[in-house]
Amino acid sequence: IDGSPAADWMYNWLGDDVKEQFENGGLILPQTAQKPIAIQARSTDEYITAHCAAFGGTEKWVDFFAPVPEGSTLTIMDSGFGPSSGYATALSDAFDTAKVQGSMATGDPKAGLLVYCGGMAIAVGDNLDAGLKSDAFSRKASTLPVMGMTCFGEQACLPESKKNVQRNLSVGMILFG
């Protein structure tokens, strides 16, 4: 990255929290769950968010949970208040999107399925229920039976290009009528 081994760039950014994995190789999702990357293959492309997955040790490679085409721009992101709020805004927005984009725009849903990024769940830790109990989400979903799951490898449709891609840091919801 910028003429240096990718592992050196990542280590300079992440610091000693990943020193052992940098030196010996290993998974780093728990240490990077609150420090994702946005990948933009071309300046006109939409951002694809991803977690860094692992260091390759002495071979100096880095693995992400999404493809990084050569020449891409990588943007360092910050999870902000997401983890402390249980990503309450993301849950509320996912509900709204499901209602508007599905066939529920004028009807009342009877149940919901919430798909929550596993890396986001790691970042949230024991605070996962804060988002579910937040005013923003509970006002909309308090009367619904909602089943939730965390997953790795979530797929998302990019809003502008309508391409389906592997995209971390996603919250999605399906509503049933």
Side-chain angles (χ1 to χ4, degrees):
I1 297 174
D2 291 335
S4 297
D8 291 349
W9 182 85
M10 291 295 292
Y11 180 67
N12 286 333
W13 169 47
L14 297 170
D16 287 339
D17 286 346
V18 296
K19 184 176 183 176
E20 181 181 335
Q21 293 86 350
F22 170 74
E23 292 173 348
N24 303 311
L27 296 176
I28 58 172
L29 176 60
Q31 297 93 323
T32 63
Q34 294 190 34
K35 297 179 178 185
I37 294 283
I39 303 161
Q40 194 176 29
R42 293 182 308 267
S43 63
T44 57
D45 288 350
E46 295 165 272
Y47 287 101
I48 297 173
T49 51
H51 297 291
C52 187
F55 278 114
T58 58
E59 294 179 26
K60 300 278 188 163
W61 54 260
V62 174
D63 191 17
F64 288 87
F65 282 105
V68 181
E70 188 172 341
S72 295
T73 298
L74 301 181
T75 301
I76 296 171
M77 299 172 61
D78 186 298
S79 58
F81 296 110
S84 64
S85 72
Y87 288 100
T89 300
L91 297 178
S92 178
D93 290 350
F95 184 95
D96 292 344
T97 299
K99 189 154 181 165
V100 170
Q101 290 184 350
S103 59
M104 309 244 74
T106 58
D108 290 327
K110 306 294 184 227
L113 173 64
L114 183 66
V115 181
Y116 201 97
C117 168
M120 287 172 63
I122 290 171
V124 167
D126 291 339
N127 214 17
L128 187 59
D129 68 337
L132 297 170
K133 293 177 179 176
S134 69
D135 285 341
F137 185 71
S138 66
R139 274 185 278 119
K140 298 170 186 177
S142 65
T143 62
L144 295 179
V146 175
M147 183 173 78
M149 63 182 198
T150 58
C151 67
F152 293 96
E154 48 288 21
Q155 300 290 305
C157 181
L158 297 175
E160 293 176 23
S161 67
K162 304 298 183 209
K163 289 178 11 183
N164 189 42
V165 297
Q166 157 69 33
R167 187 176 187 179
N168 301 139
L169 305 155
S170 303
V171 174
M173 186 153 204
I174 301 169
L175 296 173
F176 302 96

